[in-house]
């Protein structure tokens, strides 16, 4: 089921840490983190092909894959490309939830986060092309209810 895929993706997202021989929590090697990412990527590709009837991506699947991109120690271009592509697919599918929006916000640097929003049709920016806080130092918190309706059309209770 889709929950099984979600669990695999979640395990991959948290593969950035491991235990040493003494049981102490340590950062996983870049090689192990990249292996986890490849598992996440192949899981995402498999679910996109609908391996079982009605087992399709949902906001949790997209958000958890994007979390993998943000948490794992990956080459910057791979992390950004993968997170951006997943977000774009999620927007097209109308499955952007608060969880997805939170994950893409943390997976990308602020300027690339705004760029991903704009490339997918977000238009609520100031005259400088930013959506900044009042003090101008941070990106203003963007809520799901402010997003284009087509991004959230297939999410239950998304317009808050």
């Amino acid at each position: 089921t889709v929950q099984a895929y979600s669990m695999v993706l979640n395990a991959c997202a948290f593969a950035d840490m491991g235990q040493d021989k003494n049981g102490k929590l340590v950062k996983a090697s870049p090689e192990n983190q990249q292996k986890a990412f490849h598992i996440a990527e192949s899981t995402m590709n498999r679910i996109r092909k609908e391996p079982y009837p009605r087992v399709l991506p949902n906001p949790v699947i997209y958000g958890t894959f994007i979390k993998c991109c943000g948490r794992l120690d990956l080459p910057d271009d791979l992390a950004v490309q993968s997170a951006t592509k997943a977000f774009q697919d999620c927007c097209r599918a109308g499955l952007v939830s608060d969880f997805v929006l939170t994950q893409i916000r943390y997976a990308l640097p602020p300027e690339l986060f705004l760029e991903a929003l704009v490339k997918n049709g977000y238009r609520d920016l100031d005259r400088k092309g930013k959506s900044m806080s009042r003090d101008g130092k941070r990106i203003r918190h963007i809520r799901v209810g402010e997003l284009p309706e087509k991004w959230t059309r297939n999410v239950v209770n998304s317009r808050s």
Side-chain angles (χ1 to χ4, degrees), residues 17-89:
M17 300 298 286
Q19 290 183 334
D20 66 11
K21 60 185 174 191
N22 299 320
K24 183 179 174 186
L25 202 57
V26 295
K27 189 163 182 72
S29 71
E31 295 81 21
N32 284 344
Q33 292 186 55
Q34 288 181 18
K35 284 180 191 175
F37 178 74
H38 290 302
I39 292 169
E41 194 173 42
S42 62
T43 300
M44 197 67 186
N45 289 336
R46 182 171 179 170
I47 199 168
R48 282 181 178 131
K49 293 177 183 168
E50 192 181 357
Y52 303 103
R54 296 186 307 264
V55 175
L56 297 169
N58 63 26
V60 173
I61 293 292
Y62 281 115
T64 308
F65 179 76
I66 293 168
K67 181 187 277 191
C68 289
C69 300
R71 284 186 61 98
L72 298 174
D73 187 10
L74 304 170
D76 285 345
D77 58 332
L78 178 61
V80 168
Q81 283 179 334
S82 299
T84 302
K85 169 82 168 90
F87 183 68
Q88 180 181 40
D89 291 347

Side-chain angles (χ1 to χ4, degrees), residues 2-160:
V2 75
Q3 288 85 4
Y5 286 105
S6 177
M7 291 169 59
V8 170
L9 290 171
N10 198 53
C12 291
F14 287 93
D16 61 330
M17 300 298 286
Q19 290 183 334
D20 66 11
K21 60 185 174 191
N22 299 320
K24 183 179 174 186
L25 202 57
V26 295
K27 189 163 182 72
S29 71
E31 295 81 21
N32 284 344
Q33 292 186 55
Q34 288 181 18
K35 284 180 191 175
F37 178 74
H38 290 302
I39 292 169
E41 194 173 42
S42 62
T43 300
M44 197 67 186
N45 289 336
R46 182 171 179 170
I47 199 168
R48 282 181 178 131
K49 293 177 183 168
E50 192 181 357
Y52 303 103
R54 296 186 307 264
V55 175
L56 297 169
N58 63 26
V60 173
I61 293 292
Y62 281 115
T64 308
F65 179 76
I66 293 168
K67 181 187 277 191
C68 289
C69 300
R71 284 186 61 98
L72 298 174
D73 187 10
L74 304 170
D76 285 345
D77 58 332
L78 178 61
V80 168
Q81 283 179 334
S82 299
T84 302
K85 169 82 168 90
F87 183 68
Q88 180 181 40
D89 291 347
C90 188
C91 290
R92 287 182 181 153
L95 292 170
V96 178
S97 66
D98 188 52
F99 177 63
V100 171
L101 190 60
T102 298
Q103 296 311 314
I104 195 69
R105 182 181 295 115
Y106 289 117
L108 298 177
E111 60 281 354
L112 293 179
F113 167 67
L114 286 176
E115 185 178 304
L117 292 179
V118 170
K119 280 185 178 179
N120 287 289
Y122 182 74
R123 299 287 178 246
D124 189 19
L125 301 176
D126 69 14
R127 58 191 163 90
K128 295 178 184 173
K130 303 237 182 217
S131 187
M132 302 300 281
S133 62
R134 285 189 184 129
D135 64 9
K137 295 180 181 176
R138 301 175 310 279
I139 291 181
R140 174 182 66 77
H141 183 76
I142 298 169
R143 297 183 202 161
V144 172
E146 298 173 54
L147 300 176
E149 194 170 338
K150 66 182 180 180
W151 291 8
T152 61
R153 70 186 180 278
N154 295 317
V155 180
V156 179
N157 298 325
S158 66
R159 304 300 298 178
S160 53

